[in-house]
Amino acid sequence: MNMIAEKKIAAIPDFSNSPHIDHVGVEERASRFTKRSIKAETKLNGLKLTLNMIDLTTLEGKDTDGKVKQLCYKAQHLHDSYPGLPTVAAVCVYPSMVGVAKKSLEGSGINVASVATAFPSGQASRDVKIRDVKFAVNNGADEVDMVISRGKFLQGEYNFVFDEIAAVKEACGSARLKVILETGELVTYDKVRRASDIAMYAGADFIKTSTGKISPAATMPVTLVMLEAIRDFYYKTGKMIAMKPAGGISKSKAALHYLVMLKEILGDAWMNNHWFRFGASSLANDVLMQLEKERTGVYQSANYFSVD
Amino acid sequence: MAKARKNSTVKLTFDTLQYAPAPESKSIAKIDTQYDLFINGKFEKPLSKKYFDTINPATEEKLSSVADANVADVDKAVQAARVAQDKIWSKMPAKERGKYIYRIARMIQERAREFSVIETLDGGKPIRESRDIDIPLAANHFFYYAGWADKLQYAFPNTNPKPLGVAGQIIPWNFPLLMAAWKIAPALATGNTVVLKPAETTPLTALKLAEIIQESDLPPGVVNIITGAGATGAAIVNHADINKIAFTGSTEVGKIIQRAVAGTNKKLTLELGGKAANIIFEDAAIDQAVEGVINGIFFNQGHVCCAGSRLFVQESVYPIVMQKLKDRIATLIVGDPMDKNTDVGAINSKQQLETIHKYINIGKKEGANIFESNCVLPKKGFFCKPTLFMNVAQSSRIAQEEIFGPVLAIQTFRTDDEVIEKANNTPFGLSAGVWTDKGSKVFNLTSKLRAGVIWANTYNKFDPTSPFGGYKESGFGREGGLHGLSAYLNV
């Protein structure tokens, strides 16, 4: 896309006037990206870039220190028998696990991301949410993944949602804020677009599709709507916002399709893990399997790739 | 612009992602070095003893040479069609006719990949379009009309529909197999026999269709496919024993045909040129509208009679539409049509490329602002950059005349009435597109735009069940759907 030379000042718009989305058109456009044929060197690079964009995630009630430590080791050593692999971008955990993760990842350059704000439902008072965020940040979280109050949003209380995001952003300090829209609960593309606009104007560093706890999670059309919102925001303000589709992307081929979409909608500047992430737990192993297949010419059993 | 990445550890050449070449294999396409005329169920040497070359417009390499039918060859084909009509096809039970048409449809599906490759090699269109649109849609037309073959009395209740006899069909080079299907399928379903002439630059898929027809055991003479240029077409149009002419092509040739047919009792349907208005209102879903504009004008390199070649944008959204349009054009991949990633392929012929260049020069001289894609065109072959013209006047030739290439003339408008008037202010009337979130506006516009096909919030959608055809100098008669049957029947 055409890069804008300098930042512009934009007034906060009336979010009820966010652009409308034609659902037939957006789904058709999204499927078009899946027709791109990614081969040879491009495929290898795309697979490695995918690994480098992953937020390796464990968000379960049964998580323990030991499980998080294992995940942090894997984040740094995805598949040591394959030389020259990148690390993932971040490890994503609950606030109570941030301390463990921070210590395990020390010096690795891998960020610790923490979900917060009463993840995944967001059904708590603002005070509790802010303390949740501060707890995570004080324990060393580099990135905070918040959820919006979907109930309030669907009731049309956009100011409430906006203010809450702004307050969380303030509580984050220097940590980057990812705002989870939980698109599976918003249902329509029009609402996804509106929530994206609210989040960006309220101070989100990332907009993110889903918690992974609700189905459907990330889809190509939903991500496309959000990427187009990011592009429009950039046109208006000159400010880049990052994107994180999360949940439901478990295959390399799907990840490559997302990269094609990112490339063709936002362009080269976004093609790195500062501006794009995959929230996924099982994607990494599928990518590793594909990389080994490219290297050796044959698929290997899943037993050759560590589960955690 | 982008800040340094904190924890990147690999050099990512995906940064400047150029898709690695992903060419479709040519090996599946069996193309003979020479093709004769398909008459009376056999490939026969032309009485003219002449052949001409058909080339691949993307490489300028010769693909094959095909027979050039003269008046005597045409006469032979028409006689075969007449005998087949009188003795076999009109006497066969309708459901048996249907079975043959179903069989042809299935055989096209079975050999879809080969057809796609040949269509792309011979015509220059991207393999993605041949594979996903042209060939499946061609098969669907046969399937659709096969179903009607034994139900004609239900299609036209209280009548006794009878076939016209022998149909002479002349088709263009932009959708070679699809146009053959549009013509042949309804003619056969209604009990007519045909003499079909594909365009001289793209005869190969029609000749492959002849092979399928031969294998399908369709009675000899029911379908005759003869190749040649304008003179061959004229011989078909002027043949005394033809009952019906169906022509798809330029308005110029359409007028010549109409003059030639005047005073005879031949029935005529013409599907001619267009200069469609694609209209974006300020309340439209802009990103999807922009995609529709791209699809409207760059689909098949703009070689589409219903291409959305005039864009009208409501002035309040003009800047954002233009910005998005230019960004989108930057991502269009122009080049080798055989590559699965190609969006815009080769211009069909050198002659057509010259026509397009002529109009681009006219646009520049008329003072319109030009924007061209910054893509790099292949050195060999006929290619044209996707091109936009802004600040176009309604009186500009590039807004009035059909260019038939990837060139879009853009104007702005303020009110509904203004855009309706401007959209209708053309000798053509084939198609139009309306982009708005408001249902009432869609109905207001579609009832006032004088065009045969109007799409709302989409563009270039085709289906065998939907009639297609024009107003004014875009022709008359409808193809597709029930309407398509009536063009081949005495009801």
Side-chain angles (χ1 to χ4, degrees):
Chain A
M1 72 195 265
N2 299 322
M3 299 303 280
I4 298 167
E6 56 194 289
K7 289 188 181 182
K8 299 171 187 170
I9 294 162
I12 293 169
D14 175 355
F15 295 112
S16 55
N17 290 337
S18 274
H20 290 276
I21 309 295
D22 184 87
H23 79 107
V24 176
V26 83
E27 286 171 8
E28 207 170 85
R29 175 75 179 114
S31 77
R32 181 79 184 264
F33 298 111
T34 67
K35 302 269 175 80
R36 292 285 191 225
S37 183
I38 306 294
K39 296 229 183 292
E41 191 68 17
T42 318
K43 183 173 181 183
L44 273 184
N45 287 320
L47 290 172
K48 287 181 184 170
L49 180 57
T50 300
L51 285 180
N52 197 226
M53 284 175 163
I54 288 175
D55 281 3
L56 208 57
T57 302
T58 181
L59 294 171
E60 290 178 15
K62 62 179 192 243
D63 285 349
T64 58
D65 288 7
K67 157 107 185 183
V68 171
K69 280 180 193 161
Q70 284 211 346
L71 198 71
C72 289
Y73 186 82
K74 167 127 186 198
Q76 303 165 69
H77 304 273
L78 281 168
H79 197 54
D80 282 345
S81 61
Y82 190 117
L85 282 186
T87 65
V88 298
V91 169
C92 184
V93 294
Y94 270 115
S96 57
M97 296 293 160
V98 168
V100 181
K102 188 73 184 173
K103 196 153 169 260
S104 310
L105 292 171
E106 213 171 357
S108 67
I110 299 172
N111 286 345
V112 176
S114 174
V115 296
T117 72
F119 180 93
S121 73
Q123 296 285 22
S125 70
R126 183 167 303 173
D127 178 50
V128 168
K129 290 182 181 180
I130 297 294
R131 278 192 288 151
D132 200 16
V133 172
K134 284 190 172 152
F135 176 80
V137 172
N138 290 340
N139 277 278
D142 305 291
E143 298 166 4
V144 171
D145 293 29
M146 73 169 286
V147 289
I148 65 165
S149 299
R150 281 89 75 190
K152 293 285 185 188
F153 175 82
L154 293 168
Q155 282 176 311
E157 298 202 28
Y158 305 139
N159 288 345
F160 180 95
V161 177
F162 184 98
D163 292 346
E164 191 170 73
I165 296 168
V168 170
K169 169 70 180 169
E170 196 182 344
C172 282
S174 62
R176 292 178 83 202
L177 174 63
K178 306 192 190 105
V179 178
I180 304 172
L181 310 181
E182 195 63 303
T183 54
E185 291 187 344
L186 304 186
V187 183
T188 69
Y189 296 122
D190 280 345
K191 291 208 169 73
V192 170
R193 171 62 198 235
R194 195 173 296 171
S196 302
D197 286 348
I198 292 171
M200 290 187 293
Y201 279 97
D205 296 297
F206 275 83
I207 50 176
K208 175 176 169 184
T209 57
S210 320
T211 60
K213 305 290 185 194
I214 296 285
S215 186
T219 65
M220 292 277 289
V222 155
T223 307
L224 175 56
V225 168
M226 293 169 73
L227 291 173
E228 283 173 344
I230 290 171
R231 180 172 62 176
D232 285 344
F233 186 77
Y234 177 73
Y235 280 155
K236 285 216 177 75
T237 65
K239 188 168 176 254
M240 291 170 75
I241 303 289
M243 174 72 205
K244 178 177 173 184
I249 306 165
S250 57
K251 297 290 177 207
S252 312
K253 196 166 184 182
L256 292 175
H257 292 156
Y258 276 83
L259 291 184
V260 166
M261 180 159 70
L262 177 66
K263 159 89 184 169
E264 296 197 11
I265 297 296
L266 292 178
D268 297 338
W270 267 265
M271 297 293 288
N272 56 65
N273 69 12
H274 193 77
W275 298 112
F276 193 83
R277 296 283 175 82
F278 289 106
S281 43
S282 57
L283 174 62
N285 271 10
D286 193 68
V287 175
L288 293 171
M289 200 182 270
Q290 294 298 329
L291 280 168
E292 281 291 18
K293 193 252 170 184
E294 291 296 312
R295 184 169 74 152
T296 63
V298 287
Y299 279 107
Q300 300 184 11
S301 148
N303 291 334
Y304 287 94
F305 305 95
S306 68
V307 287
D308 279 330
Chain B
M1 184 76 218
K3 291 171 203 161
R5 279 170 269 127
K6 264 198 231 166
N7 44 13
S8 157
T9 48
V10 277
K11 174 85 180 77
L12 302 164
T13 52
F14 211 90
D15 281 7
T16 50
L17 177 107
Q18 298 293 327
Y19 301 113
E24 176 65 85
S25 163
K26 286 177 198 170
S27 61
I28 192 164
K30 194 183 138 290
I31 301 175
D32 295 344
T33 52
Q34 182 173 303
Y35 282 95
D36 295 322
L37 304 170
F38 183 66
I39 296 174
N40 210 19
K42 293 186 291 288
F43 282 92
E44 298 206 0
K45 298 246 173 273
L47 300 171
S48 70
K49 298 196 167 59
K50 282 190 203 148
Y51 291 83
F52 61 94
D53 291 347
T54 182
I55 65 160
N56 177 348
T59 60
E60 300 176 49
E61 284 160 5
K62 179 181 161 182
L63 291 168
S64 181
S65 55
V66 295
D68 189 0
N70 64 12
V71 176
D73 291 307
V74 169
D75 186 52
K76 204 168 132 191
V78 174
Q79 278 182 34
R82 173 61 61 196
V83 170
Q85 216 275 325
D86 287 349
K87 302 249 160 78
I88 309 167
W89 201 239
S90 63
K91 299 213 165 79
M92 187 182 282
K95 71 168 197 243
E96 297 301 318
R97 284 206 311 266
K99 283 183 191 170
Y100 283 109
I101 307 170
Y102 275 124
R103 192 179 297 164
I104 294 168
R106 286 194 302 271
M107 290 171 84
I108 292 174
Q109 280 190 324
E110 281 159 13
R111 289 169 66 176
R113 194 152 158 238
E114 182 182 9
F115 270 106
S116 308
V117 168
I118 296 177
E119 199 74 301
T120 288
L121 287 174
D122 202 20
K125 67 173 64 203
I127 186 75
R128 184 182 58 77
E129 290 177 7
S130 315
R131 181 194 67 200
D132 295 349
I133 298 162
D134 287 61
I135 309 306
L137 207 48
N140 283 350
H141 269 270
F142 279 102
F143 276 119
Y144 174 74
Y145 281 112
W148 274 123
D150 60 351
K151 303 175 190 70
L152 296 176
Q153 68 272 35
Y154 303 101
F156 305 97
N158 305 317
T159 61
N160 183 19
K162 292 277 179 232
L164 300 174
V166 176
Q169 307 177 321
I170 300 165
I171 58 171
W173 43 259
N174 56 346
F175 295 93
L177 184 72
L178 181 59
M179 289 301 110
W182 278 31
K183 295 278 184 280
I184 294 174
L188 297 192
T190 48
N192 298 276
T193 56
V194 307
V195 175
L196 177 115
K197 184 192 90 67
E200 64 269 29
T201 58
T202 55
L204 293 184
T205 44
L207 291 162
K208 293 306 272 191
L209 179 64
E211 289 179 7
I212 279 187
I213 286 169
Q214 202 174 29
E215 286 170 38
S216 76
D217 279 333
L218 187 76
V222 173
V223 173
N224 304 278
I225 295 176
I226 57 173
T227 45
T232 313
I236 293 174
V237 169
N238 294 318
H239 196 286
D241 199 27
I242 279 184
N243 305 97
K244 146 99 188 178
I245 297 290
F247 172 75
T248 298
S250 71
T251 296
E252 190 190 349
V253 175
K255 286 178 177 175
I256 296 170
I257 291 176
Q258 192 165 7
R259 274 195 290 271
V261 168
T264 71
N265 59 2
K266 286 174 195 158
K267 294 217 171 192
L268 180 64
T269 47
L270 298 173
E271 201 266 271
L272 309 175
K275 192 74 184 176
N278 214 348
I279 303 165
I280 301 182
F281 286 95
E282 62 185 0
D283 62 351
I286 299 294
D287 285 305
Q288 288 76 57
V290 165
E291 193 57 26
V293 170
I294 293 285
N295 180 32
I297 186 63
F298 301 127
F299 173 57
N300 200 26
Q301 299 76 247
H303 301 328
V304 187
C305 42
C306 54
S309 50
R310 288 184 297 157
L311 174 62
F312 290 94
V313 186
Q314 199 155 24
E315 58 187 355
S316 56
V317 291
Y318 179 72
I320 188 73
V321 167
M322 289 314 300
Q323 189 169 19
K324 289 183 176 205
L325 206 48
K326 289 174 184 174
D327 278 349
R328 178 69 178 95
I329 285 174
T331 66
L332 286 176
I333 299 173
V334 185
D336 179 8
M338 287 293 280
D339 193 303
K340 292 173 203 158
N341 287 326
T342 295
D343 298 309
V344 180
I347 300 301
N348 186 266
S349 65
K350 191 167 181 224
Q351 191 193 1
Q352 186 57 28
L353 185 62
E354 281 164 5
T355 304
I356 296 167
H357 284 157
K358 181 189 88 180
Y359 277 108
I360 289 176
N361 284 329
I362 289 172
K364 285 180 187 162
K365 280 197 196 115
E366 286 175 330
N369 300 339
I370 186 171
F371 172 86
E372 284 179 312
S373 159
N374 60 2
C375 61
V376 181
L377 299 183
K379 290 211 169 59
K380 270 203 102 159
F382 314 131
F383 290 92
C384 179
K385 290 182 176 183
T387 304
L388 306 178
F389 277 109
M390 285 80 74
N391 286 334
V392 175
Q394 182 75 6
S395 56
S396 300
R397 283 183 67 190
I398 54 167
Q400 291 182 326
E401 297 173 21
E402 184 176 40
I403 300 172
F404 224 60
V407 182
L408 180 64
I410 305 170
Q411 302 179 63
T412 58
F413 70 96
R414 189 164 293 176
T415 66
D416 296 15
D417 289 343
E418 179 193 355
V419 77
I420 291 166
E421 190 183 3
K422 284 186 171 168
N424 284 337
N425 178 212
T426 166
F428 298 107
L430 188 56
S431 61
V434 179
W435 300 84
T436 170
D437 211 34
K438 205 166 184 177
S440 59
K441 204 176 275 181
V442 169
F443 288 113
N444 182 35
L445 265 285
T446 50
S447 62
K448 289 177 183 161
L449 290 173
R450 299 202 64 221
V453 183
I454 303 176
W455 288 287
N457 294 325
T458 188
Y459 207 90
N460 273 345
K461 285 280 176 299
F462 306 98
D463 191 275
T465 62
S466 168
F468 184 94
Y471 280 42
K472 299 191 273 185
E473 289 192 16
S474 292
F476 48 81
R478 295 290 178 267
E479 292 179 300
L482 267 177
H483 302 66
L485 290 171
S486 62
Y488 288 94
L489 287 170
N490 275 317
V491 182

